[in-house]
Amino acid sequence: MKIGEVEFENNVFLAPMAGVTDRAFRELCMEMQCGFAYTEMISAKALFYGNKRTRDMFLASPKEGPIGVQIFGSDPLIMAKACDFFNDNEQIGVVDINMGCPAPKIVKNGDGSALMKNPLLASKIVKEVKKASLKPVTVKMRIGFDFDNINVVDFAKSMEQSGADAITVHGRTSIQMYSGKANWDIICQVKKAVEIPVIGNGDIFAAEDANAIFNKTKCDGIMIGRGAMGNPWIFSQIRQYMEKRSVRYPTPRERVDVCIKHYNKSIYYNGEDRAVKEMRKHIAWYIKGLKNSKEIKDKINYEKYSENVFEILDKYKCLL
């Protein structure tokens, strides 16, 4: 699969997720045969005003290869200005524009999925970013803002006409957030309506789901978000399933081992203090469904030092 001149190892991507897809997690997913990975969504306005923490968010590890950087905002000129940070960066392969985030704090500022209510502004943003960017420009969207305004087919055609090199469609409305069921039928309609690559997103939690969405939508690629949380194996499992090989699932001990590996990567890239805080949610995802997982999660959430967390996890692993 290609977007612009960027060619990917395979067409199963890791979705941009705030507070989740940092370097440590992206690198781990790439090791598990993810085809391409996106940063957390990055505020174009924060970049414009020189926020250092924001700049650090699009640093890539040497093991990742090119990454996709996702920006959000609603000022076309500031969105375009963000490309100054990416154009000469060989680690960045694609600039994605967020028009799908349903978080209230994003939507209330007119950003993210709120742009689906303003197609003219959305079009202007894509045109300005496309003029400024030396990288392919893509757009991630929902099927509409709410059930009374499901406009994704026309919206996608407008984004294509404005210069987008590819689009990703999450099969829910903004109001749905992550509830209900993703509508893959509408993704199929979008695929038929545009010439540029379409990436399907929503409700892909297993290799069988990946096969089903490909068959249903005929999309060019898929993007996995929540299905990868605590489950980076999903990428290799999809590859195994598509190649008609036996799908291998990790044992409980392997789940803890990879959790520890992830934790060490987080310390390396983020530092001890930040890793201890940010890995709490990841640990909960890794051990979800295992015996005594709530008790272990609660103990870890009180710990302030990684060495104590590792001791808890090592002891826990021996009980599995």
Side-chain angles (χ1 to χ4, degrees):
M1 179 184 172
K2 290 178 71 175
I3 296 178
E5 295 304 312
V6 181
E7 193 158 0
F8 307 103
E9 184 72 22
N10 63 64
N11 59 352
V12 181
F13 299 169
L14 173 65
M17 291 182 282
V20 178
T21 54
D22 62 1
R23 271 185 290 181
F25 187 58
R26 294 195 311 264
E27 182 177 285
L28 188 63
C29 290
M30 294 302 290
E31 291 173 1
M32 300 277 188
Q33 298 186 298
C34 172
F36 191 63
Y38 286 80
T39 65
E40 304 170 66
M41 63 179 187
I42 291 171
S43 167
K45 189 174 288 186
L47 280 179
F48 183 78
Y49 288 110
N51 183 282
K52 183 184 182 303
R53 173 75 183 273
T54 302
R55 291 191 187 192
D56 289 346
M57 289 170 71
F58 59 84
L59 294 174
S61 86
K63 297 180 182 179
E64 288 185 83
I67 60 172
V69 61
Q70 189 188 69
I71 56 174
F72 74 92
S74 50
D75 184 316
L77 297 180
I78 288 180
M79 292 285 278
K81 195 69 179 169
C83 296
D84 291 347
F85 296 93
F86 313 136
N87 281 337
D88 295 328
N89 189 334
E90 293 182 0
Q91 293 180 306
I92 293 171
V94 171
V95 176
D96 186 68
I97 302 171
N98 185 314
M99 297 190 185
C101 179
K105 66 180 181 180
I106 300 295
V107 170
K108 73 177 182 181
N109 291 324
D111 304 334
S113 60
L115 289 166
M116 295 201 72
K117 296 191 291 185
N118 194 342
L120 291 178
L121 176 58
S123 174
K124 188 172 182 182
I125 289 170
V126 172
K127 288 176 181 176
E128 291 297 333
V129 172
K130 185 67 179 173
K131 281 193 293 186
S133 179
L134 299 180
K135 316 284 183 176
V137 175
T138 62
V139 181
K140 190 169 190 290
M141 62 190 70
R142 293 237 164 183
I143 60 173
F145 192 78
D146 54 39
F147 285 114
D148 293 326
N149 295 281
I150 294 178
N151 62 339
V152 68
V153 173
D154 288 339
F155 193 84
K157 286 159 70 172
S158 176
M159 297 306 99
E160 178 181 37
Q161 291 162 6
S162 301
D165 294 289
I167 56 173
T168 299
V169 181
H170 181 117
R172 288 181 173 85
T173 66
S174 177
I175 294 299
Q176 277 183 279
M177 299 284 283
Y178 299 98
S179 66
K181 187 173 173 59
N183 189 327
W184 293 351
D185 288 321
I186 296 181
I187 298 175
C188 183
Q189 292 173 29
V190 173
K191 174 59 187 166
K192 291 176 181 176
V194 300
E195 298 296 325
I196 56 177
V198 174
I199 301 162
N201 176 225
D203 289 353
I204 306 168
F205 295 102
E208 293 82 359
D209 298 331
N211 186 59
I213 191 173
F214 273 123
N215 288 338
K216 181 81 170 178
T217 68
K218 311 302 179 189
C219 53
D220 301 278
I222 59 174
M223 188 176 284
I224 298 174
R226 291 172 299 146
M229 297 190 308
N231 184 29
W233 301 272
I234 192 170
F235 298 101
S236 55
Q237 289 165 351
I238 290 170
R239 188 80 170 266
Q240 290 158 4
Y241 189 93
M242 296 298 187
E243 294 174 357
K244 301 190 182 331
R245 293 185 281 136
S246 295
V247 176
R248 188 179 181 283
Y249 297 91
T251 66
R253 287 191 177 194
E254 286 173 326
R255 285 166 65 173
V256 178
D257 279 335
V258 171
C259 177
I260 292 170
K261 182 179 181 181
H262 185 174
Y263 207 122
N264 279 310
K265 287 179 183 290
S266 186
I267 292 171
Y268 180 77
Y269 288 121
N270 301 321
E272 166 85 5
D273 291 346
R274 189 171 149 204
V276 168
K277 293 171 185 166
E278 296 196 356
M279 282 302 298
R280 288 169 181 158
K281 59 179 177 284
H282 287 282
I283 291 171
W285 295 327
Y286 278 110
I287 67 174
K288 184 178 180 181
L290 300 183
K291 67 177 183 180
N292 301 328
S293 59
K294 185 180 186 306
E295 176 189 337
I296 297 300
K297 181 186 73 171
D298 290 344
K299 284 175 70 174
I300 285 171
N301 285 346
Y302 283 106
E303 293 296 341
K304 296 181 180 179
Y305 302 102
S306 61
E307 61 184 299
N308 296 339
V309 175
F310 290 140
E311 185 177 344
I312 292 169
L313 289 174
D314 282 333
K315 288 179 179 178
Y316 180 52
K317 187 172 67 169
C318 293
L319 300 174
L320 295 173

